[in-house]
Amino acid sequence: MSTRIPVTVLTGFLGSGKTTLVNRILSENHGKRIAVIENEFGEVGVDHELVIGADEEIFETSNGCICCTVRGDLIRILTQLRKRRDRFDSILIETTGLADPGPVAQTFFIDDDLKEHFSLDAIVTLVDAHHIEQELHDSPIALEQIAFADVILLNKTDLVDAAALERIERRLRAISATAKVIRSRNADVPLDRVLSLGAFDLERALSLDEAFLESARPFEWAGVYALPAGSYELHCGAHGHDHGHGHDHGHDDDHHAHASGLSLVDLALLPAASTDASSIEALLDPATKIFESEPQAVEPAGVLHAQQRCRLRLTPGAHFHLEIPAAGCWAIFTEHAPAEFGMYLHAAAPAVTRSFGSHHHDLEIGSIGLTDPRQLDATKVNNWLSYLLQSRGADILRMKGVLNLRGETRRYVFHGVHMMFDGQLERPWNADAPRLSRLVFIGRNLDRHELEAGFESCVA
């Protein structure tokens, strides 16, 4: 059992609900003893019952929590809190709305004294569902706050409709594929889902979504339909325009009409072996190849043929004719999720569907995961990660992983923030399960081939 004090860093854009959450922590009877370090712009209106710091910076609130303000140096205030270790069980640091959480997280890697007494537990980012799409469009800071998150509290969910929530969640997962997304209203969430999670402790955290470990795909959705031969009407364009679902994810190029919903979308029709999930799996590579070919432009009311990359021009209420040459199972792969451009096939519902990670490049920030059963050479790993941090440290916002080292019965767990890196041997591998190395990188302009080649160079 670690005696280090767990620290949660709370971040989120202005107006996302951080103050509401902090007020709840400092006033409600939740039975936890939490020391809250507010940023100096905090506006927490809590009755400070009792001054317990000689410098009058540290207050105890009526529910037994502690509150203090960072007026100067975070390290100094943490050192003061440590002298009162018996008064609290965990620490929450609230950052300003315009702050990149990276430097606060790095503090716990850099200072040896802090490393000895405190452990970074999780970075929790609050997101205002009502404004986040605009914020991501306008501000790189909003993007970084999400990229750093272990937990994303998607707050103010009552202010947007279900389709928008789905779209926003897909977008958040595209930026930070390993973060846990929790929906909330008024920042009302059980505190044990936010505090003392051990999310930074990869042993507990790295239950990766298997889909995340696949290569990125150029499509977001696939569905398989059982259809007799003939011509079918495919409706598109309704939702994307009537509900303004596009605002297209913050990028504006010739492929998209900016701010007015999607104007073009790519689609491919392929024959499938059956109507079960394995048939989609079998078509992933063929569909990817089609999506890499030259697109065929199709106007509204035009015909969509199989085995082609069809680029549909969307207008309000547009429809297209799907030509099915022979009866059987047919898969449709779409560049965007059907909800985003109102696509449905009039004649039939899909027998099976599958969603893929959103591939919108938010200022090129994204996640890449690697998994591999081979044993690694510890020296080579060290050399590779050191090189990576020196050459790409500014672009790598977060990296974390569990490594299978040759000659070692315990798993090696590491995580990094920008140029800072910390790793150690932890509990033994489970004898009944395969020893898999799993790595996650979150950052700007990451190159999967470069990371895979680097990993390959570490194989023992």
Side-chain angles (χ1 to χ4, degrees), residues 154 160-172 183 339:
L154 181 54
V160 294
D161 64 23
L165 268 182
E166 287 294 321
R167 187 176 69 245
I168 290 164
E169 245 191 66
R170 269 204 312 278
R171 184 122 179 245
L172 297 177
R183 295 182 179 187

Side-chain angles (χ1 to χ4, degrees), residues 326-368:
C329 302
W330 291 86
I332 295 177
F333 286 79
T334 57
E335 176 191 10
H336 298 287
E340 288 186 56
F341 61 103
M343 183 195 91
Y344 67 97
L345 191 60
H346 197 61
V352 63
T353 66
R354 176 163 164 188
S355 295
F356 302 89
S358 173
H359 54 263
H360 302 300
H361 298 301
D362 274 299
L363 303 182
E364 304 304 321
I365 286 189
S367 315
I368 289 177

Side-chain angles (χ1 to χ4, degrees), residues 376-385 454 456-460:
L376 305 176
D377 180 290
T379 308
K380 291 176 179 175
V381 168
N382 203 36
N383 291 343
W384 173 50
L385 292 177
E456 197 64 40
S457 73
C458 301
V459 174

Side-chain angles (χ1 to χ4, degrees), residues 43-58:
E43 35 182 296
V44 175
V46 171
D47 298 330
H48 296 314
E49 295 286 304
L50 176 65
V51 177
I52 59 170
D55 48 16
E56 307 208 350
E57 277 187 293
I58 300 178

Side-chain angles (χ1 to χ4, degrees), residues 28 39 79 108 132 159 165 214 237 263 285 295 325 336-337 369 374:
E28 290 182 7
N39 67 67
T79 306
F108 295 92
I132 188 61
L159 302 182
L165 268 182
E214 297 175 347
S263 64
D285 289 337
H336 298 287
R374 293 173 293 176

Side-chain angles (χ1 to χ4, degrees), residues 180-327:
K180 189 176 183 64
V181 179
I182 300 169
R183 295 182 179 187
S184 65
R185 297 180 180 196
N186 302 321
D188 192 358
V189 61
L191 294 185
D192 52 14
R193 297 191 74 182
V194 182
L195 298 166
S196 303
L197 300 172
F200 231 95
D201 160 12
L202 284 167
E203 277 309 291
R204 288 161 57 191
L206 219 65
S207 52
L208 284 185
D209 170 6
E210 287 305 315
F212 171 63
L213 297 164
E214 297 175 347
S215 304
R217 297 286 178 182
F219 34 80
E220 285 189 6
W221 182 87
V224 179
Y225 300 78
L227 297 169
S231 182
Y232 295 88
E233 204 164 275
L234 185 78
H235 294 263
C236 298
H239 296 86
H241 287 261
D242 298 353
H243 304 311
H245 276 187
H247 177 304
D248 186 54
H249 309 280
H251 66 200
D252 187 3
D253 55 31
D254 59 358
H255 193 62
H256 299 277
H258 189 57
S260 62
L262 298 170
S263 64
L264 297 167
V265 68
D266 288 356
L267 175 150
L269 173 70
L270 290 89
S274 67
T275 53
D276 63 31
S278 63
S279 65
I280 295 180
E281 183 70 34
L283 289 172
L284 292 180
D285 289 337
T288 299
K289 281 198 172 63
I290 289 175
F291 268 78
E292 287 165 353
S293 66
E294 274 302 302
Q296 307 296 314
V298 185
E299 293 295 313
V303 177
L304 307 176
H305 292 287
Q307 308 281 13
Q308 283 184 355
R309 178 183 178 186
C310 301
R311 178 160 289 174
L312 284 52
R313 192 167 71 77
L314 302 180
T315 57
H319 67 274
F320 301 85
H321 297 288
L322 201 61
E323 287 299 322
I324 300 297

